[in-house]
Amino acid sequence: MTQSKSRIHADPAIFFFDEDQEDQFDRLPDPLIVVILNKLSDVRSLGRCLAVSRRFNSLVPMVTDIFVRIDRVVTSDGPGCAGDSDETLTLTSTKPRSLFSHFLKLMLFTILKPLNHLHGGVSGPNRPLLPQLSHHSPVQVLKNFTNVENLRIELPAGDVGTEEGVILKWRAEFGSTLQNCVILGGTRMDHKPVPDNATITSSLSPEENNGSIPESFYTNGGLKLRVVWTISSLIAASTRHYLLRQIIKEHPTLKSLVLTDADGQGTLIMGKEQLKEFREKPLAPSASSSRTQVPASNMKLRYAPYLELPGGVGIQGATLVTIRPATDGNANSGNGNNGSGKKDSEAFVSGSFEGAYKDAVKALLKRRTYLLEMNGF
């Protein structure tokens, strides 16, 4: 006795298309389609939508949320770079393994006023890099979009080269110049299983219990390394900021702008008020390169030799550096806004990172603070 096999019969009506039948998609109102396109956001996909139909071609430029991924990096002396007069093509980021040999030698002795015991310099090749978006700059790609309000640009990699295992993350807020910057670093991150109810702890040496950074921090190059991290991150942030000027100029509708990288190393942010300030105040370029000048700033450094976090995460040489322009305190001292500015800065620092890095910031904020001064450069 054989069992009959069941068969699936396709309904011909499903595949039948009547040319006279109304396209149901055409019944959707334009504002709803724009909402859908906003959810799409990716500039490549939106570019393809421009060619779908006349209707799409007219609606895509109305999109307000855009994401631009730059996925190719070539050296500045590579093919196609010669004769390129559009500065914004470069979105230039310097990717040093160590940083600017003679530049940092000078910085290490002059930029941090209280640290007279630093010696030596940092040597290494200076390799300018040129990210490109399929041979087109973000400025060119965004020309079709006239109503951009929220723009996010992603570079293919972080700007600052580090040794294997080193943790370096930064987040900077700019208007016409630097307003806030937070840098989180560590010489190594460990992962090990721990109980779910583990709490944040950190190891303390006797010297730290007395309120001092261990002497070894100064003698084994630990402090100099943190100086390099700080200067490298500020150079990366100020370079990104300077090269955004053409985009901001051509898109007056912008309300928020984020420039990050696929590694999650650094993020530059500008909100509505910062963008307004950027347009109204002249930019102060650095004399040494195509980047915004970093103003004289006050720095707060917090350090823990080892930080143990929930989830079995441990960070060796955990360091938190927060930076604000030195003029902020003077500007606010007489108008009653100092408390508000301090509160905004603390909120910026505590909300800069996610996950274990957020826990690390929270733990380091409880540590003793060391105040430093940095000259503009």
Side-chain angles (χ1 to χ4, degrees), residues 49-66:
C49 289
L50 284 168
V52 169
S53 65
R54 290 183 180 178
R55 188 185 185 200
F56 269 38
N57 190 270
S58 65
L59 294 178
V60 168
M62 299 171 63
V63 168
T64 58
D65 299 347
I66 302 288

Side-chain angles (χ1 to χ4, degrees), residues 171-184:
R171 187 176 179 89
E173 182 180 44
F174 277 79
S176 61
T177 187
L178 178 70
Q179 293 185 353
N180 282 294
C181 183
V182 57
I183 301 166
L184 176 66

Side-chain angles (χ1 to χ4, degrees), residues 66-320:
I66 302 288
F67 172 60
V68 180
R69 178 181 285 111
I70 301 173
D71 57 7
R72 185 177 178 181
V73 179
V74 296
T75 57
S76 60
D77 56 354
C81 296
D84 199 337
S85 60
D86 185 359
E87 280 188 284
T88 56
L89 259 176
T90 64
L91 278 176
T92 305
S93 57
T94 306
K95 196 163 188 172
R97 271 295 150 198
S98 302
L99 204 97
F100 302 105
S101 179
H102 62 278
F103 176 73
L104 262 190
K105 286 179 183 177
L106 176 64
M107 285 288 186
L108 290 174
F109 287 108
T110 62
I111 202 168
L112 297 177
K113 297 176 183 177
L115 306 181
N116 297 324
H117 53 274
L118 287 178
H119 296 284
V122 182
S123 62
N126 179 21
R127 298 183 297 155
L129 299 179
L130 177 67
Q132 291 186 338
L133 174 64
S134 300
H135 304 291
H136 296 285
S137 73
V139 172
Q140 293 172 320
V141 171
L142 291 169
K143 284 188 180 295
N144 289 324
F145 303 94
T146 57
N147 200 36
V148 183
E149 294 182 2
N150 306 300
L151 176 62
R152 182 180 179 88
I153 302 174
E154 183 183 279
L155 299 173
D159 305 279
V160 183
T162 58
E163 299 298 327
E164 186 176 355
V166 168
I167 304 160
L168 181 61
K169 290 187 171 292
W170 60 265
R171 187 176 179 89
E173 182 180 44
F174 277 79
S176 61
T177 187
L178 178 70
Q179 293 185 353
N180 282 294
C181 183
V182 57
I183 301 166
L184 176 66
T187 52
R188 196 176 77 185
M189 178 176 280
D190 302 323
H191 297 271
K192 57 184 178 180
V194 295
D196 293 337
N197 59 353
T199 57
I200 298 176
T201 61
S202 58
S203 60
L204 289 173
S205 68
E207 289 174 295
E208 284 191 301
N209 282 326
N210 293 329
S212 302
I213 290 180
E215 184 63 29
S216 59
F217 186 71
Y218 303 102
T219 58
N220 66 5
L223 183 56
K224 186 164 65 175
L225 176 62
R226 271 68 179 182
V227 173
V228 172
W229 287 350
T230 300
I231 296 173
S232 303
S233 300
L234 287 171
I235 288 175
S238 61
T239 300
R240 292 186 187 186
H241 178 252
Y242 184 78
L243 292 162
L244 288 171
R245 65 196 188 284
Q246 191 67 23
I247 291 176
I248 296 173
K249 177 183 177 181
E250 294 186 3
H251 296 276
T253 56
L254 269 176
K255 296 180 180 179
S256 72
L257 196 160
V258 177
L259 179 52
T260 186
D261 55 75
D263 293 340
Q265 183 188 84
T267 301
L268 181 149
I269 63 170
M270 299 179 72
K272 186 175 181 180
E273 293 302 317
Q274 285 80 21
L275 289 163
K276 179 181 178 182
E277 179 187 311
F278 185 97
R279 296 183 181 102
E280 294 177 352
K281 293 186 178 181
L283 216 59
S286 168
S288 59
S289 59
S290 297
R291 60 177 179 81
T292 305
Q293 183 176 7
V294 177
S297 302
N298 295 323
M299 300 169 52
K300 295 181 179 180
L301 184 146
R302 298 169 175 90
Y303 172 77
Y306 188 78
L307 206 60
E308 188 172 327
L309 306 172
V313 176
I315 300 179
Q316 294 189 11
T319 309
L320 180 69

